[in-house]
Amino acid sequence: MSKAFIAAVIQDSINCTGVAANQAANDLIDAIVEELKREGGFTLPSFGTFTVRKTKARKALNPRTGEQVKVKAGKTVRFKASPNLKKAV
């Protein structure tokens, strides 16, 4: 799924211009990102839950050279599908 696909669905759903649909798609994605930053999670009922998880610093191997590389601690976003989504797919 791409931002263009979301914009096309919005455009078909509410019969608006492509520019307005693209802006609505951008606003939707920006709102989700802001909610993840502020609350650390985001739930869409009947779809699933996005959560922000912290990752620990660790050592990894460079696949080309085989040497060990330090990986800094960071954050990642996880998704858990709802039971309704699992049934639909």
Side-chain angles (χ1 to χ4, degrees):
M1 181 185 300
S2 65
K3 194 184 298 185
F5 175 77
I6 295 171
V9 170
I10 292 170
Q11 184 177 5
D12 291 341
S13 177
I14 62 173
N15 295 325
C16 65
T17 65
V19 173
N22 195 25
Q23 184 61 43
N26 285 333
D27 291 345
L28 174 66
I29 292 169
D30 290 343
I32 292 171
V33 170
E34 283 301 314
E35 186 70 14
L36 286 170
K37 284 181 184 178
R38 187 177 52 232
E39 297 293 328
F42 180 75
T43 301
L44 284 172
S46 299
F47 185 72
T49 303
F50 296 88
T51 55
V52 177
R53 298 263 175 103
K54 293 181 181 178
T55 59
K56 295 180 181 179
R58 63 191 186 281
K59 292 181 183 176
L61 291 177
N62 182 332
R64 286 192 178 171
T65 63
E67 71 177 287
Q68 286 192 346
V69 179
K70 291 182 182 179
V71 178
K72 296 179 181 179
K75 294 180 183 179
T76 188
V77 177
R78 303 260 174 123
F79 175 74
K80 182 178 180 186
S82 73
N84 292 342
L85 178 62
K86 288 180 182 179
K87 281 183 187 176
V89 175

